[in-house]
């Protein structure tokens, strides 16, 4: 047990996008509402009794949009702000961060800040 974290692994990754999930969603075999509720329940379990809980999204803000469960929707549903993380560089880094910020703004999710990672000095 690291950092006194005793929660089951299934609550750390309540939704895993595996091969075939998108097809199942398009064929109406996936209930988005129940998936969001499962994510919210896992968040409540993991964050209970803790001062801070860090939630890691996958890729950019729009990942999962085809399923109706993108990173911005999850942040909004959980009522949490975000910190954007971009790779080092100038043009493309700025462009990607600007697009992601706009995406979160569209869902009215607060962006607390930006971390530029892997900066070459």
């Amino acid at each position: 047990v690291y950092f006194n974290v005793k929660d089951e692994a299934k609550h750390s990754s309540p939704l895993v996008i595996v091969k075939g999930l998108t097809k199942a969603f398009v064929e109406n075999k996936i209930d988005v509402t129940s998936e969001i509720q499962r994510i919210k329940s896992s968040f409540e379990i993991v964050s209970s009794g803790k001062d801070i809980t860090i939630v890691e999204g996958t890729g950019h803000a729009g990942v999962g949009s085809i399923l109706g469960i993108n990173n911005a929707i999850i942040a909004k549903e959980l009522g949490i702000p975000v910190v954007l993380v971009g790779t080092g560089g100038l043009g493309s880094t700025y462009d990607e961060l600007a697009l992601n910020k706009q995406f979160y703004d569209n869902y009215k999710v607060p962006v607390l800040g930006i971390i530029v990672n892997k900066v070459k000095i």
Side-chain angles (χ1 to χ4, degrees):
V1 176
Y2 296 99
F3 303 107
N4 201 29
V5 175
K6 299 174 185 170
D7 303 307
E8 294 180 54
K10 69 179 181 181
H11 296 299
S12 295
S13 295
L15 176 64
V16 178
I17 300 178
V18 295
K19 184 176 182 175
L21 186 68
T22 301
K23 183 179 180 193
F25 173 78
V26 171
E27 294 173 345
N28 292 317
K29 296 178 182 175
I30 304 263
D31 177 23
V32 173
T33 305
S34 65
E35 293 298 323
I36 290 174
Q37 188 54 48
R38 191 159 52 88
I39 293 167
K40 290 169 82 171
S41 295
S42 289
F43 177 74
E44 289 172 13
I45 290 167
V46 170
S47 64
S48 177
K50 301 188 178 75
D51 294 327
I52 295 172
T53 303
I54 296 174
V55 178
E56 181 183 13
T58 301
H60 57 79
V63 169
S65 289
I66 193 167
L67 303 173
I69 312 176
N70 62 48
N71 289 321
I73 289 171
I74 299 302
K76 182 175 182 160
E77 289 289 330
L78 296 179
I80 59 175
V82 300
V83 174
L84 300 177
V85 179
T87 56
L90 288 175
S92 63
T93 298
Y94 182 88
D95 295 344
E96 290 170 12
L97 291 169
L99 282 170
N100 281 298
K101 181 173 183 325
Q102 185 61 50
F103 200 86
Y104 283 108
D105 287 350
N106 287 343
Y107 284 92
K108 297 183 176 25
V109 174
V111 175
L112 296 181
I114 294 171
I115 296 172
V116 179
N117 194 14
K118 300 180 184 175
V119 176
K120 294 180 182 176
I121 300 176

